[in-house]
Amino acid sequence: MKSDTVPELPPHLQPGCVQTMQAVDAPRERSYYINSPEYWGQPKRDGSRLIVIAAADKVYYQSRSTKIKRQPCEEINQALQQAAIKLGMFILDGELYYPSVTGSEHRTAAQAATVNAMQGISTSPTPIYAIFKALWFSGNDLTIFTETERIAAAEKISQCLRKDFFENLPTARSQKQKEELVLKQESEAREGEVWILKNCVYTGGKDKHSQAMLRTKYCLELDLVVTDLTLVKGTGRPFSAAVVAREIAEKLVPVGSVGTGFSLQDMREIIRRHHAKPGSVKITVRCLGLTENGNLWHGRFIGLRE
C-alpha cells in the first residue's frame, strides 16, 4: 500500500520510511542497568510495534517492517486526530497490544478473545497503544535529540489522549524506580524490561553491537515442531493442545504441549498444515523456562513459523 508524502516531514520520517530503533539482548545482568544512572527502564509489552504519524487531517500507521497499516480502531484514530489539532503534527513510537480479562497481553484481538472465551467472557478486546517515545513534536525532528527529550515529548502528547485506549509507558529513572519495575514485571510474569541509554540518539534498525537499547527477559522463546494435536470433544475448539518437540542435533526431543495463545484462525491453519504434511509445522512458543523433566513451563503459542 503506497503512502502519501507529508511535506512537513524529512524523508526518514515519512510514512512507510521510519526505521524503528530495536532492542537487542542485554550483555549484562539486570543489576548493572538498575544501578547505572545512564540507563532508564521501561516495561516490555507483548504486542506489535507501531509508528503513528498524526496530523489534523489524517493519521498514518506503520509497522516495524515499514508497511502501512490500517487504523486499530476508530476511537484511537479520532483521539490522535484531535490531539494533532490541538498540538500540531506529531510522531509516536510505540506498541499496539490487546489485553485479555486476565491481564495477559496479546498481539492480536483474536488471541485475547480466545483467553476471554476460556474465562467464559465474550467481551471484545480493546486495543491499547503503549507509547514509548515521540520522534517528531512541535516542528522538531526528535531523532537527533536525546532519549530523555523524546520520552518527555511523548509524556506531553499522552496527556491529550484517552486513557482507555492509550498508555504512556512508565519510565523508571531512579535506582528505586528501576528496582520496582523489575519486581513488578517478574511478579506479574511479564516478558521483561527494555533499558535505554538516556542520552542516546535515535538509530533505526537492530545493531547487535549497540548498547543504546537493550532488553532483559524472563521468558524463553522457542521454535518448536508440532508432532501431534490432542482432540477433546465438546470444547468447541479444533484441538485442545499441540504436542511439540525441539530440534536438537537433528533429532526431535519432546518438550510437552501448549494449549493457550491460539486464536481460532491459528488453530485451523495449524490443523490444515499438520494434516497436509505431519511433522512439518513449526510454531514459536513463549514459556517461563523448562521443568526438571524438560517440558515447557507455562508455554503459550506466539505464532506460526513459515
Side-chain angles (χ1 to χ4, degrees):
M1 185 186 298
K2 186 176 179 181
S3 62
D4 301 331
T5 298
V6 182
E8 297 92 330
L9 298 176
H12 67 283
L13 290 180
Q14 291 292 332
C17 297
V18 183
Q19 297 293 324
T20 60
M21 189 173 180
Q22 299 175 37
V24 298
D25 291 336
R28 300 172 184 262
E29 297 294 326
R30 283 180 175 82
S31 58
Y32 175 83
Y33 307 104
I34 292 173
N35 294 324
S36 172
E38 300 303 315
Y39 279 94
W40 286 357
Q42 290 181 335
K44 193 174 187 303
R45 289 287 178 254
D46 189 8
S48 299
R49 194 73 172 269
L50 194 66
I51 296 291
V52 168
I53 300 172
D57 59 337
K58 187 173 182 178
V59 181
Y60 302 89
Y61 303 89
Q62 182 207 294
S63 70
R64 185 176 65 181
S65 61
T66 69
K67 291 182 179 179
I68 300 300
K69 309 286 287 185
R70 292 194 175 103
Q71 66 181 33
C73 67
E74 184 59 31
E75 290 87 350
I76 284 180
N77 199 70
Q78 288 182 358
L80 289 166
Q81 279 192 282
Q82 290 170 3
I85 291 172
K86 181 177 181 179
L87 301 172
M89 182 184 297
F90 57 84
I91 300 178
L92 296 173
D93 184 2
E95 189 131 342
L96 186 77
Y97 69 94
Y98 293 81
S100 72
V101 293
T102 66
S104 59
E105 300 163 2
H106 302 271
R107 298 182 185 183
T108 68
Q111 290 172 341
T114 298
V115 175
N116 290 355
M118 293 175 68
Q119 300 295 318
I121 297 174
S122 59
T123 304
S124 298
T126 298
I128 301 293
Y129 184 63
I131 302 168
F132 301 164
K133 64 197 77 176
L135 306 183
W136 178 275
F137 186 53
S138 296
N140 293 313
D141 177 2
L142 301 182
T143 63
I144 59 175
F145 287 42
T146 66
E147 189 75 358
T148 300
E149 292 164 296
R150 284 189 289 275
I151 291 175
E155 290 172 344
K156 291 180 181 178
I157 296 168
S158 69
Q159 293 174 3
C160 296
L161 296 171
R162 294 176 55 171
K163 305 307 179 193
D164 50 345
F165 287 94
F166 295 88
E167 174 193 18
N168 180 43
L169 208 64
T171 300
R173 294 168 168 83
S174 67
Q175 181 177 335
K176 182 179 180 182
Q177 289 174 338
K178 288 186 279 186
E179 289 173 348
E180 291 173 347
L181 166 66
V182 167
L183 181 62
K184 187 175 189 294
Q185 291 295 98
E186 186 175 19
S187 65
E188 295 180 355
R190 301 298 182 184
E191 265 202 90
E193 306 86 25
V194 174
W195 306 99
I196 317 105
L197 269 175
K198 65 181 183 180
N199 292 322
C200 73
V201 296
Y202 194 91
T203 305
K206 180 179 288 188
D207 183 355
K208 293 183 179 180
H209 303 290
S210 173
Q211 301 293 299
M213 190 175 181
L214 306 169
R215 64 189 176 199
T216 47
K217 292 184 176 182
Y218 297 104
C219 299
L220 177 67
E221 284 192 5
L222 301 171
D223 292 332
L224 304 173
V225 177
V226 176
T227 59
D228 197 7
L229 298 172
T230 61
L231 305 178
V232 178
K233 294 182 179 180
T235 63
R237 307 175 76 199
F239 61 84
S240 178
V243 181
V244 290
R246 296 180 73 181
E247 289 183 300
I248 301 177
E250 299 183 353
K251 293 183 179 180
L252 289 179
V253 179
V255 291
S257 62
V258 56
T260 61
F262 302 99
S263 68
L264 185 59
Q265 183 179 358
D266 293 328
M267 288 182 154
R268 288 172 175 167
E269 179 63 15
I270 289 170
I271 280 186
R272 185 190 70 79
R273 295 188 188 186
H274 181 70
H275 286 172
K277 192 175 181 180
S280 67
V281 183
K282 294 184 178 181
I283 64 175
T284 300
V285 173
R286 180 176 295 137
C287 62
L288 297 181
L290 299 176
T291 66
E292 292 180 355
N293 296 326
N295 290 331
L296 297 173
W297 181 30
H298 294 301
R300 181 162 65 90
F301 171 80
I302 297 300
L304 271 159
R305 299 287 294 178
E306 297 300 330

